[in-house]
Amino acid sequence: MLSYVVRRLATAALILLGASFLVYLLTASSGDPLADLRASNAPNRQQLMDARSQLLDLDTPAPLRYFKWLGGAAQCLVPFAGSCDLGRSVTGQPITEALGIALIQTLTLVTGATVLAILIGITLGIVTALRQYSALDYGVTFMAFLFFSLPIFWVAVLLKEFGAIGFNNFLRNPVIPLPVSIGTGLVLGVVVAVAVGGELKRRLISGGVVFALVTAVMVYFSATLWFKTPGLGPVVIAIAGVGMAFAVTTLVSGLKNRKALQSALITVGLGLIAYFAVQPLLDQATGLMIFLLAIATVLVGVGVGYLMGGYDRGQSMRAAGITAFLMGGLVTVDRFMQAWPAYFSNSRVRGRPIATIGAGTPNLQGDYWIMTIDTFTHLILPTIALILVSLASYTRFTRSSMLEIMNMDYIRTARAKGLSERSVIMGHAFRNALIPLATIVAFDIGALIGGAVITESVFSVHGMGFLFLDGITHIDPNPVMGVFLCVAITAMVFNLIADLAYSALDPRVRIKA
Amino acid sequence: MSQPTQEEVILAEQAKKEAAPGPETEYQGLSQGQIVRKRFFGHSGALVGLAVFALIFIMAFTSVGFAGIPGWWKYNHVDVSPLVNDGVPSVSLWPLAWGEHPFGQDRIGRDLFAMTMRGAQQSIIIMVIIGAIAGLIGAVVGGLAGYFRGWVEAILMRLTDVIIIIPVLLLAAVVAQMANRRDAAGWFSAFAASNGVVVLGIFLGLVSWVGLARLVRGEFLTLREREFVDAARISGASNARIIFKHILPNAIGVLIVNVTLTMSAAILLETALSYLGVGVKSPDTSLGLLISQNQEAFATRPWLFWYPGLFIVAICLSINFIGDGLRDAFDPRQKKFRAKSAVETGRHSSETAPSSAAPGATSTGSAVSGSPADAGES
């Protein structure tokens, strides 16, 4: 095991050396870094050219420059020495500093999108696998292919036009025309009717209920101008909480496990009390506090489950813990909505909240909630774009993996010994279907650092991809090398993790030690 | 005890049904190629994809002409003509009409239909070049590594590892720079300046083969251990004969399917690179470049943005569907008709089962959910 890891790391280091040499030479030979100065008419042209030549050390031939760079980069390997030197960019900024800034930008942009895409993709994949060859399966498959074929820059421009500009115009006078309400209700109703499966009567009832509910909610939103002053309020939170408690319990333990259901419902009750209790506290919120509160919430939920016990204590704890987390989420969303009018009428935002470019409104002042809303409104469009284009592969992959598992003998055994369909799917099939997915997810997390070059350039987020592209256009090897190093190292490490995780999760797979 | 016997009867009937001449015999007496063809043409999504792609292909290559041969469309992608109706598209479904400028015109009066067709042409050329080069290199490298193992594999796979982590964007930028250096002497820059698209395709093909090589190697690794390969070797077949006659035909499915998928990814790659300004450059045009040039004009001339985008999506989608059809056709485990009957039998047994198993089973059922280990043994 250890020798395997060491061998893999040693190979990786050699590959990295070779590849970085190639990348350096390619960047350096891709053009003339002084081209823009040569074309300029500035009187001190020669001086500027000399200064840049000096800064980028252009008099040294590129292969030699690579080894100089390597000497600086090697110092990064010495821990805690603080002498990490990846060179400077054309503007004279140290690369280590630029990388730090870019990394934060990229991670805020990509993390949420990746997590959401994985969650939605896996859910869709499992549902379509369970309803193989149904209308839902064909619909989702077609959508997956469609999303897979979408160029992200095209999606991004469409989103900017309709998602941002259109929605902002709508917010000026948030009245939804009645036909739109009915139309949306109809579409969602049909989707639900197709998705639930089962008999025609059951489908029609589910679809009808959803249609009526959605239409009513939209008419209500329109009549009360809800989008101007959104909010959930305790009543909606209570109803949604009870619904979530039932849904979570159904998935985690099945409704037959009364103790689990009771624990989840008690958690919802506690959440409602907490809703009123923590409001004053939330006014002074910070990121750390929200994080601690989230942990405390989950712990309370798990505690309730533990105290309720039942024949399977673990299930009660899980059901209550997840419900508690979701309740906490609802309360937080409600608090964000309370801050919305203040954000909306802020002099910097001027009533056009959904932003099309950048990562934050410049010079915006406000408390935690305002600033976080600002980040969200900037992140929402790139996140949607990224989710759309990366959703398809997860959906397809989960579906095929799940289908393969569902045909296994042990699934038939589980059914034959009389397990409920829920335990067969959640306990036996789902968990095993996730094993090959772990590899894909690890790869994707490794690639996450590289950022989404196109998304970043469309939405002008100054992340890793932007740094890389900027380096290429200015024929400046140092930023390119910095980004390349980060990307390559994380990719390789996560490849290794993927392989190790696979063999840890699936005992049939042995790594060659 | 009457319930089990009833089920036994049902199971026996099912077994009889499965043993009886079922869907499998449909393929009896057919060669591998015939089976694949038959399956492929039974896949409606793939057929639609094929039809759409053929339509786009013919339209793109005949309308504005190709390689010096003039096409049937009156404009080309650089001609400027007077604006008609401020460049609004003249195509309409009802009444069905084509009009002077079906997709409209841009600000200076170039015909968008001609530009889109030219762009589609370029995208298809790049796609085919990338597919061909990547498929060829991937097959050779993967095949050699998988068949010979040892130091050949070590060298080739480390090479693959190096290339897989070099960013494609960087290579594209280098190619673009070379193609741009028109003043520079040398045959390469001259060739690159006149055939920018071909050079871009070749370079992207030279880096896109890595995934294919890994897949082909995996396939070769499993196939070379099979009995028929041993048999061939014992009867004195040469390495070349074993590779080309015995292993490659069995690995061809994986290769073709993944070349198709590489091609659909290549379309998006080319458009993305052109969008970023390192792919196809003006005065030539490509679908990605058209979108990049016109994205600011969305509010005033949205058609400049819609049509190229729709063509990208249409080409890519049709290729993806073709690839899906090919995968189903080549996959020996794929039993299209079985799967449906399995669903029916599953439903059948679930209809008969619950009456005996309903109350007792569920309480024990929930206790089992936490054990992936016992489920993963088989």
Side-chain angles (χ1 to χ4, degrees), chain B residues 20-61:
Chain B
E24 251 66 7
T25 50
E26 204 181 324
Y27 298 131
Q28 252 173 21
L30 295 181
S31 73
Q32 174 84 22
Q34 283 168 322
I35 295 173
V36 167
R37 220 170 300 137
K38 197 165 178 183
R39 279 184 171 175
F40 181 76
F41 286 113
H43 192 288
S44 45
L47 284 187
V48 174
L50 199 61
V52 171
F53 181 70
L55 194 70
I56 294 175
F57 185 86
I58 294 171
M59 221 159 85
F61 278 88

Side-chain angles (χ1 to χ4, degrees), chain A residues 34-50 52:
Chain A
L34 299 175
D36 59 322
L37 292 180
R38 275 189 225 285
S40 82
N41 293 322
N44 57 346
R45 205 173 68 142
Q46 194 56 43
Q47 248 176 314
L48 288 173
M49 280 166 69
D50 287 346
R52 189 179 289 177

Side-chain angles (χ1 to χ4, degrees), chain B residues 301-356:
Chain B
R301 293 165 194 274
W303 58 88
L304 290 178
F305 180 80
W306 281 114
Y307 288 105
L310 287 178
F311 267 82
I312 298 177
V313 175
I315 296 176
C316 199
L317 196 57
S318 58
I319 299 283
N320 271 330
F321 269 105
I322 295 173
D324 194 49
L326 284 173
R327 180 178 19 220
D328 284 358
F330 275 111
D331 190 354
R333 289 174 307 173
Q334 174 77 24
K335 291 164 196 154
K336 198 178 176 187
F337 306 99
R338 267 282 191 76
K340 265 186 183 163
S341 73
V343 170
E344 273 157 27
T345 54
R347 205 170 284 155
H348 202 85
S349 58
S350 67
E351 272 164 21
T352 55
S355 56
S356 65

Side-chain angles (χ1 to χ4, degrees), chain A residues 11 15 19 22-23 26-27 29-31 133 142 145-146 148-151 153-154 157-158 161 253 311-312 315 396 410 418-419 422-423 427-428 431-432 453-454 457-458 468-469 472 475 484 492 508, chain B residues 158 161-162 165-167 169-171 173-174 177 181 268 271-272 275-276 291 295 298 305-306 309-310 312-313 316-317 320-321 324 333 339-340 361-362 365-370 372 374-376 378:
Chain A
T11 334
I15 291 172
L22 278 178
V23 168
L26 278 175
T27 321
S29 65
S30 70
Y133 300 127
F142 181 76
F145 273 121
L146 183 64
F148 200 64
S149 313
L150 286 178
F153 49 90
W154 198 62
V157 176
L158 288 186
E161 190 62 30
S253 64
Y311 57 80
D312 191 341
Q315 282 187 347
R396 297 297 292 165
Y410 61 79
L419 294 189
R422 188 200 63 75
S423 338
H428 293 237
R431 286 167 180 236
N432 286 301
V453 178
I454 299 165
S457 83
V458 177
F468 185 77
L469 201 61
I472 286 183
I475 331 236
F484 169 75
M492 286 175 156
R508 288 171 297 182
Chain B
R158 291 301 84 76
D161 287 342
V162 168
I165 58 170
I166 294 182
L169 191 58
L170 178 64
L171 280 162
V174 175
Q177 289 287 346
R181 236 181 286 162
L268 290 184
T271 49
Y275 178 84
L276 289 176
I291 293 181
Q295 57 173 333
F298 193 90
F305 180 80
W306 281 114
L310 287 178
I312 298 177
V313 175
C316 199
L317 196 57
N320 271 330
F321 269 105
D324 194 49
R333 289 174 307 173
K340 265 186 183 163
T362 39
S366 44
V368 188
S369 67
D374 71 0
S378 70

Side-chain angles (χ1 to χ4, degrees), chain A residues 159-174 226-227 340 344 351-355 377 380-381:
Chain A
L159 278 175
K160 278 186 181 182
E161 190 62 30
F162 296 108
I165 299 174
F167 189 70
N168 284 340
N169 288 341
F170 161 75
L171 281 183
R172 213 179 291 158
N173 181 25
W226 187 83
F227 284 101
W340 178 259
F344 189 76
R352 301 195 71 80
I354 307 294
T377 52
I380 183 158
L381 291 186

Side-chain angles (χ1 to χ4, degrees), chain B residues 20-21 36 56 76 78 87 132-134 143 182 203-204 232 234 243 271 302 308 329 339:
Chain B
V36 167
I56 294 175
N76 69 30
V78 282
I133 294 182
R182 279 157 213 276
F203 265 76
L204 293 181
I234 290 168
I243 290 178
T271 49

